[in-house]
Amino acid sequence: ATGRVTALSIHRDQVMLREGTLTGRRTALPQPTMQVQSDSMQGPNRILRFQAADMEIRRQVGEMGYATVTDWEYYTPRNPLDPEAPSRTYEASGAAVRLFEAKIARGSLMNARVLLKEYFPRAREIAEQELRVYTDLVTAWDDVAPDEDFADAPVATLRGWFQTTEECERASFRENWKNRFPKVAPPGAGNLWLLFRWQGNKAMSEFAQSLASPVSFWDQLSAPVFGPRKSNLNTQFYFLRNLVKECLAALTFLHERGVIHRSIGPSSVTMNTFDVIEGDRLQVKLRDFGFASRAALLDDGTLTKAQRAGARTPGELLAFVASEDLYAMGYALAETIFTALAITEEAEAEPQGTKMTPITKQWVKQTQGPDTDDAVSSLGPIGGSQASGMPSKPAARTDQDALKKLMEDVFESDVKGAFRDYCEAEERW
């Protein structure tokens, strides 16, 4: 077998939102010793260069990492159920970016709520690339519609950036930080921070979970006087169709401007509402452009891959790399839709992998032969910890790696035929 690293991508499963509660305490980042000049960009959509002391941090809301994704090709036929012969492997980086809720403490944007992304030194190149991509997007936007607000674009709104200084190493600052955030390590000098307009943390990866969440006391208290609005499968279908349409429109926005995202996942799409009744007002925005690139500035590895696929002209190269974004978005949407619509009741207690539905056993026999005992031991539920196995019963979480194994490895991309038959026969789907 040979491995080929195809891309680096934000490891969405590393995102951990810790909402917590606000205590009313705030802390300001230290004043830099040198005056920072404003950016040369002009117009209402310019990306500003702030000072660290302009920020008042309220709380940490999460952290992110990235992963090296390797797709494997085999010279000889392989068993798609063999965990020793994976089609894709991941090497995670661990936490490389921290997310904070903050507000701007002074200037024309005083009291504006923002999301801060602090990039550790090993992720600085990712931060710089995200800043470059946003600069290109804003410049292209202003060239076409200089009087319109870039916040209307289907991407997260970057307000500006700053860099922490040696002041962060002073004992007084570190003590102040420790008093306010005892469980959060203080920032280091030289870390690059990006400021985004606060748009909440409604990532598409959390949508299905929100459908299964119990109704809280406050939700009941704020329900309409004449009773809560009811949803059914029709409203869910309508909402999900709009979600697909909005996601494709956001991708089109990027590709028309020559930008390729290259790390799309369920957590790189944000939604303004999880209420399936509000399908008409649903809006999505793309975020996390640390691995994005302009089509004209693609790396040699990507260009070689595109040329091997037959791309020769600039238009063919753009179509090839854009298709990779569409491929990734397709699986992100498949995970979201399957998870949202699957029946989520807990299955009866039984050892994982010891019982298969008839349709699953049929396909195992086709790939493994009539003796299925060896195959059964390697199976695991979709969305469970054994993401490399085929499910006996789908779990509540239907992750895209398991769907990819079914669609591409087991059913050899026969989505309209064999995979559809499997879905119709699977009792929870």
Side-chain angles (χ1 to χ4, degrees):
T2 60
R4 183 179 69 248
V5 179
T6 58
L8 288 172
S9 65
I10 294 293
H11 187 39
R12 299 303 189 269
D13 292 337
Q14 289 289 330
V15 176
M16 296 175 289
L17 297 180
R18 298 192 293 270
E19 293 296 340
T21 57
L22 294 179
T23 61
R25 297 180 298 180
R26 307 286 186 271
T27 188
L29 291 170
Q31 177 80 24
T33 55
M34 296 180 63
Q35 183 70 24
V36 179
Q37 301 297 322
S38 61
D39 258 3
S40 59
M41 297 181 66
Q42 303 296 320
N45 297 314
R46 64 188 184 277
I47 298 173
L48 301 174
R49 185 174 183 180
F50 290 88
Q51 297 179 6
D54 293 336
M55 303 299 127
E56 288 188 6
I57 293 180
R58 306 182 70 182
R59 55 173 177 161
Q60 183 182 8
V61 295
E63 54 190 24
M64 299 175 64
Y66 58 90
T68 303
V69 182
T70 305
D71 287 317
W72 293 90
E73 295 178 345
Y74 295 84
Y75 295 117
T76 58
R78 70 181 184 91
N79 176 5
L81 302 178
D82 184 0
E84 300 300 322
S87 61
R88 173 174 289 185
T89 56
Y90 301 87
E91 183 181 352
S93 68
V97 181
R98 295 195 298 184
L99 309 176
F100 295 90
E101 179 190 349
K103 73 172 184 177
I104 300 176
R106 60 190 183 186
S108 59
L109 295 176
M110 184 174 179
N111 292 325
R113 195 179 180 191
V114 293
L115 174 70
L116 299 181
K117 294 174 69 172
E118 178 201 13
Y119 294 80
F120 294 162
R122 65 177 178 274
R124 185 180 182 90
E125 184 178 350
I126 299 173
E128 292 176 348
Q129 180 63 16
E130 185 158 14
L131 185 56
R132 281 192 291 266
V133 169
Y134 266 104
T135 300
D136 290 341
L137 285 174
V138 171
T139 301
W141 177 277
D142 285 343
D143 287 343
V144 176
D147 297 326
E148 296 184 15
D149 191 350
F150 185 71
D152 296 331
V155 296
T157 305
L158 180 65
R159 295 280 198 186
W161 62 279
F162 66 89
Q163 182 171 296
T164 47
T165 67
E166 291 78 7
E167 296 289 313
C168 289
E169 305 297 336
R170 290 191 175 184
S172 58
F173 171 78
R174 300 179 75 86
E175 182 65 23
N176 183 45
W177 181 279
K178 182 178 179 181
N179 290 336
R180 286 160 171 73
F181 307 109
K183 297 182 179 180
V184 181
N191 289 356
L192 190 58
W193 299 61
L194 300 186
L195 283 78
F196 293 86
R197 181 180 180 181
W198 180 266
Q199 293 167 317
N201 282 314
K202 292 187 187 308
M204 190 170 72
S205 58
E206 306 301 322
F207 168 65
Q209 181 181 349
S210 73
L211 297 180
S213 301
V215 179
S216 69
F217 168 76
W218 296 108
D219 290 335
Q220 297 179 33
L221 190 64
S222 60
V225 174
F226 297 104
R229 297 174 296 177
K230 297 184 181 297
S231 65
N232 52 41
L233 281 179
N234 287 333
T235 57
Q236 290 187 36
F237 292 161
Y238 180 76
F239 186 92
L240 291 170
R241 281 196 296 268
N242 277 359
L243 176 61
V244 173
K245 182 179 70 174
E246 288 285 322
C247 287
L248 294 179
L251 266 187
T252 300
F253 172 85
L254 290 183
H255 294 166
E256 287 179 343
R257 288 155 181 80
V259 174
I260 311 301
H261 192 285
R262 306 185 73 190
S263 62
I264 288 176
S267 291
S268 59
V269 180
T270 63
M271 305 163 59
N272 66 331
T273 179
F274 283 165
D275 190 344
V276 296
I277 300 293
E278 300 181 329
D280 287 330
R281 62 175 293 267
L282 173 65
Q283 294 180 340
V284 304
K285 289 182 179 289
L286 298 178
R287 63 182 182 183
D288 302 332
F289 291 92
F291 295 103
S293 174
R294 293 195 64 84
L297 300 174
L298 292 171
D299 58 274
D300 292 340
T302 301
L303 291 175
T304 300
K305 183 180 176 182
Q307 290 168 353
R308 287 176 178 173
R312 294 291 183 268
T313 67
E316 291 173 343
L317 291 172
L318 176 60
F320 176 83
V321 292
S323 70
E324 292 191 328
D325 272 358
L326 285 169
Y327 176 85
M329 181 63 81
Y331 272 111
L333 287 167
E335 174 180 327
T336 301
I337 293 171
F338 272 78
T339 307
L341 297 181
I343 299 173
T344 57
E345 288 82 3
E346 294 295 330
E348 63 273 14
E350 60 183 25
Q352 290 185 358
T354 61
K355 181 180 179 181
M356 290 184 289
T357 61
I359 187 67
T360 308
K361 187 172 293 187
Q362 173 187 345
W363 288 109
V364 171
K365 286 182 178 180
Q366 291 183 11
T367 57
Q368 283 281 93
D371 185 4
T372 62
D373 291 340
D374 293 336
V376 171
S377 63
S378 68
L379 299 179
I382 284 185
S385 60
Q386 302 178 36
S388 61
M390 247 180 72
S392 59
K393 290 187 177 179
R397 182 75 175 175
T398 312
D399 66 76
Q400 56 183 293
D401 284 341
L403 289 172
K404 181 178 184 295
K405 178 174 286 293
L406 280 174
M407 292 183 188
E408 299 183 21
D409 296 342
V410 176
F411 300 120
E412 299 180 340
S413 300
D414 185 10
V415 176
K416 293 183 177 180
F419 179 70
R420 188 181 185 91
D421 292 342
Y422 173 87
C423 295
E424 290 178 347
E426 171 53 62
E427 59 187 28
R428 289 197 175 192
W429 290 359

